[in-house]
Amino acid sequence: MEEKRVWGIHTMDDNMFLHGNKIAIGWPEMGDLSRLNNSRDAFKAAYAEAYPDAKPGSIPTCAGMLYRFVNEVQIGDYIVFPSKLDRIINIGVVESEYKYDGTENDYVQQRDVKWLKHIQRTSFSQGALYEIGSALSFFAVKNYADEFLSALDKNFKKNISDETEDETVAVTAEEIKESTTDYVLKELSKQMKGYPFEEVVANLLQAMGYRTKLSKQGGDHGIDIIAYKDELPPRIVVQVKSVNSAIQEDRIQALKGLMHEGDYGLFVTLSDYTKNAKKFLEDNPRIRGINGPEFVGLFLKYYKQLDDKYRDMIPLKEVFIPVPKE
């Protein structure tokens, strides 16, 4: 039996992929690719004709992606799609042969897919994240294929343990920035679950210029931190959750119920918010929600002002620390 392969793909249209249950690539000027002979030379010739201004060096690369999408992908192969919008790794299985949809403006080269799992990026090793951060729109996943396939197992547990980086995987500057966020999220999830995460949030607020009062462990009745810019109002009531699952709307509603007149609310999580929770935050501007990547952005921005113990826990090279904008 032929071994199923694993492919990676990127898109700017998450909705089309996830809600349309398909994967697709562009190059609409190529038309219906099923009319071409099953050879790389035929695809290169057709690409050069469709895009006469293309640089010679780009022709084999782009034509090769199209050729593989049409002729090498098989029904039953697996797809790994890293979403840029919510930073979730989506894993699916190909369910159709290649098809052309000329009604689409751009993503006309398509295949149907069934999405099997949607998993946080922090569940995967740094090397795996590097590989699916490929600059190509469509590519084979080779070095870490087994890691992504293991995530489909029903007993799969999120892996935030230490891992070694594979230096053979090319890394761009944008990937370095993205992988730094992943690294910090993993370390926070691993070392600062529960009350310790409340402590680091309080320290970050102090680094940002706030006075903070941290509630006693287990006795906060929903309020983890109270913050002020000075001794006078407004008061900011802060709730902190280090869970991996998305925050539901009722959690935000509970925070609102703890706010007095004139208070502001702040909800901090290492994960993200559900669609309904995001809508609730939009409708209640006195409550600010910060998700995992946003928290890491602030953590990096104020890194040098944090207590030594947190910088010792999560040591970062100087190149990774952004310079705050004036």
Side-chain angles (χ1 to χ4, degrees), residues 132-299:
I132 61 170
S134 169
L136 300 178
S137 299
F138 184 71
F139 52 95
V141 177
K142 297 179 179 179
N143 297 326
Y144 292 88
D146 289 343
E147 181 172 335
F148 289 109
L149 291 177
S150 70
L152 297 175
D153 189 280
K154 65 179 181 180
N155 297 318
F156 173 72
K157 294 183 178 179
K158 297 186 176 184
N159 176 20
I160 56 174
S161 60
D162 292 334
E163 68 283 313
T164 56
E165 295 184 8
D166 187 343
E167 295 182 356
T168 65
V169 181
V171 184
T172 67
E174 183 62 28
E175 290 164 10
I176 290 175
K177 178 181 176 182
E178 191 168 80
S179 65
T180 303
T181 298
D182 295 328
Y183 165 72
V184 175
L185 274 175
K186 286 180 184 178
E187 292 303 307
L188 289 171
S189 297
K190 181 170 63 177
Q191 300 191 49
M192 300 177 194
K193 281 287 189 182
Y195 193 71
F197 183 55
E198 296 175 19
E199 294 178 318
V200 74
V201 171
N203 187 236
L204 176 60
L205 289 170
Q206 291 165 8
M208 296 171 67
Y210 289 91
R211 300 170 184 265
T212 63
K213 180 181 178 182
L214 188 64
S215 298
K216 293 182 180 180
Q217 187 172 1
D220 59 1
H221 301 293
I223 297 178
D224 299 317
I225 303 166
I226 296 175
Y228 298 88
K229 264 297 185 180
D230 49 45
E231 292 84 353
L232 301 174
R235 184 181 75 152
I236 303 173
V237 294
V238 186
Q239 194 167 84
V240 178
K241 296 295 179 185
S242 57
V243 296
N244 291 317
S245 57
I247 300 299
Q248 303 283 338
E249 179 183 1
D250 60 352
R251 295 288 186 91
I252 316 295
Q253 290 174 333
L255 174 60
K256 184 179 180 181
L258 297 171
M259 295 166 56
H260 298 162
E261 185 177 355
D263 283 352
Y264 284 84
L266 177 63
F267 202 108
V268 183
T269 178
L270 285 176
S271 59
D272 203 353
Y273 300 89
T274 64
K275 183 178 179 180
N276 286 343
K278 291 178 181 177
K279 180 64 167 58
F280 186 84
L281 287 168
E282 290 176 3
D283 293 340
N284 292 270
R286 294 183 73 88
I287 305 176
R288 168 76 187 279
I290 295 178
N291 65 15
E294 290 171 330
F295 180 79
V296 171
L298 292 171
F299 185 93

Side-chain angles (χ1 to χ4, degrees), residues 301 323-326:
K301 181 176 181 180
V323 178
K325 294 181 180 179
E326 299 296 337

Side-chain angles (χ1 to χ4, degrees), residues 7-227:
W7 304 92
I9 193 166
H10 296 292
T11 186
M12 299 298 292
D13 192 345
D14 287 43
N15 183 66
M16 176 188 188
F17 275 35
L18 297 175
H19 299 292
N21 294 315
K22 64 181 67 175
I23 56 171
I25 54 178
W27 295 285
E29 298 299 325
M30 290 286 288
D32 187 347
L33 300 176
S34 63
R35 62 183 173 80
L36 300 178
N37 292 333
N38 183 4
S39 74
R40 288 181 177 270
D41 287 341
F43 274 68
K44 285 190 284 187
Y47 189 91
E49 181 179 354
Y51 298 96
D53 296 329
K55 295 180 180 179
S58 70
I59 294 175
T61 300
C62 297
M65 284 188 280
L66 291 161
Y67 175 84
R68 302 186 85 176
F69 189 84
V70 175
N71 295 301
E72 293 188 2
V73 176
Q74 302 294 320
I75 293 176
D77 283 356
Y78 293 96
I79 291 292
V80 178
F81 160 49
S83 171
K84 294 289 186 181
L85 292 181
D86 56 14
R87 300 176 60 77
I88 296 294
I89 304 299
N90 306 280
I91 304 176
V93 61
V94 177
E95 289 198 316
S96 79
E97 300 289 353
Y98 160 80
K99 58 184 180 181
Y100 172 77
D101 184 354
T103 64
E104 290 289 342
N105 293 328
D106 190 15
Y107 292 106
V108 296
Q109 325 295 352
Q110 302 180 1
R111 284 178 178 267
D112 293 335
V113 65
K114 178 182 179 181
W115 298 111
L116 304 174
K117 267 196 173 183
H118 312 277
I119 307 170
Q120 293 283 345
R121 292 176 63 89
T122 49
S123 302
F124 299 96
S125 70
Q126 209 66 56
L129 295 174
Y130 281 156
E131 185 167 19
I132 61 170
S134 169
L136 300 178
S137 299
F138 184 71
F139 52 95
V141 177
K142 297 179 179 179
N143 297 326
Y144 292 88
D146 289 343
E147 181 172 335
F148 289 109
L149 291 177
S150 70
L152 297 175
D153 189 280
K154 65 179 181 180
N155 297 318
F156 173 72
K157 294 183 178 179
K158 297 186 176 184
N159 176 20
I160 56 174
S161 60
D162 292 334
E163 68 283 313
T164 56
E165 295 184 8
D166 187 343
E167 295 182 356
T168 65
V169 181
V171 184
T172 67
E174 183 62 28
E175 290 164 10
I176 290 175
K177 178 181 176 182
E178 191 168 80
S179 65
T180 303
T181 298
D182 295 328
Y183 165 72
V184 175
L185 274 175
K186 286 180 184 178
E187 292 303 307
L188 289 171
S189 297
K190 181 170 63 177
Q191 300 191 49
M192 300 177 194
K193 281 287 189 182
Y195 193 71
F197 183 55
E198 296 175 19
E199 294 178 318
V200 74
V201 171
N203 187 236
L204 176 60
L205 289 170
Q206 291 165 8
M208 296 171 67
Y210 289 91
R211 300 170 184 265
T212 63
K213 180 181 178 182
L214 188 64
S215 298
K216 293 182 180 180
Q217 187 172 1
D220 59 1
H221 301 293
I223 297 178
D224 299 317
I225 303 166
I226 296 175

